[in-house]
Amino acid sequence: MSAPDIDWDALHARAVEMTTHSYAPYSGYRVGVAGLVDDGRIVAGCNVENAGYGVTLCAECGMVSELHATGGGRLVAAYCVDGRGEPLMPCGRCRQLLWENGGADCLLMTPEGVLPMSEVLPQAFGPENLAQR
């Protein structure tokens, strides 16, 4: 699927909606994400902070959990936003989650526009690396 075929407005709206469900009492930094699955579903998530900062869940964690809880599949595209609705580049852990669940061709809306995961996470480590062992 190419970038023009994706309803980026629908993904953006769902991601913005998810920021309203965010649990961010410590940082106040709300994050929402929505992803398009290869079967047409939209899955989404929000960040959930914890007093033990290291166990905070990023929005992408929730989205990937919903992906698998509702039948699996592969992510085709994702849109992550901050509390103002602006595109947000996922952190390193979340880039790895997107790679694992969408692969090199998964498209991501970034502050610089739409990029494939192969550009967001070049030389990524994935399941194929483990299969080589």
Side-chain angles (χ1 to χ4, degrees), residues 71-104:
R74 300 291 287 166
L75 291 171
V76 174
Y79 202 136
C80 185
V81 299
D82 62 21
R84 298 170 297 146
E86 296 297 319
L88 181 64
M89 181 60 81
C91 71
R93 174 176 80 166
C94 292
R95 292 179 200 196
Q96 184 67 36
L97 281 171
L98 293 173
W99 182 275
E100 182 85 13
N101 293 279

Side-chain angles (χ1 to χ4, degrees), residues 8-111:
W8 292 104
D9 290 336
L11 290 178
H12 181 258
R14 183 76 171 119
V16 168
E17 176 192 347
M18 291 308 294
T19 65
T20 68
H21 302 292
S22 170
Y23 177 72
Y26 308 106
S27 71
Y29 195 75
R30 296 179 173 278
V31 178
V33 65
L36 176 64
V37 183
D38 57 4
D39 64 6
R41 283 178 294 139
I42 292 179
V43 292
C46 61
N47 62 321
V48 178
E49 292 182 348
N50 188 287
Y53 290 127
V55 292
T56 289
L57 297 175
C58 296
E60 294 85 348
C61 294
M63 178 184 70
V64 167
S65 190
E66 182 180 344
L67 170 70
H68 291 284
T70 60
R74 300 291 287 166
L75 291 171
V76 174
Y79 202 136
C80 185
V81 299
D82 62 21
R84 298 170 297 146
E86 296 297 319
L88 181 64
M89 181 60 81
C91 71
R93 174 176 80 166
C94 292
R95 292 179 200 196
Q96 184 67 36
L97 281 171
L98 293 173
W99 182 275
E100 182 85 13
N101 293 279
D105 296 328
C106 180
L107 299 174
L108 178 66
M109 179 60 75
T110 75

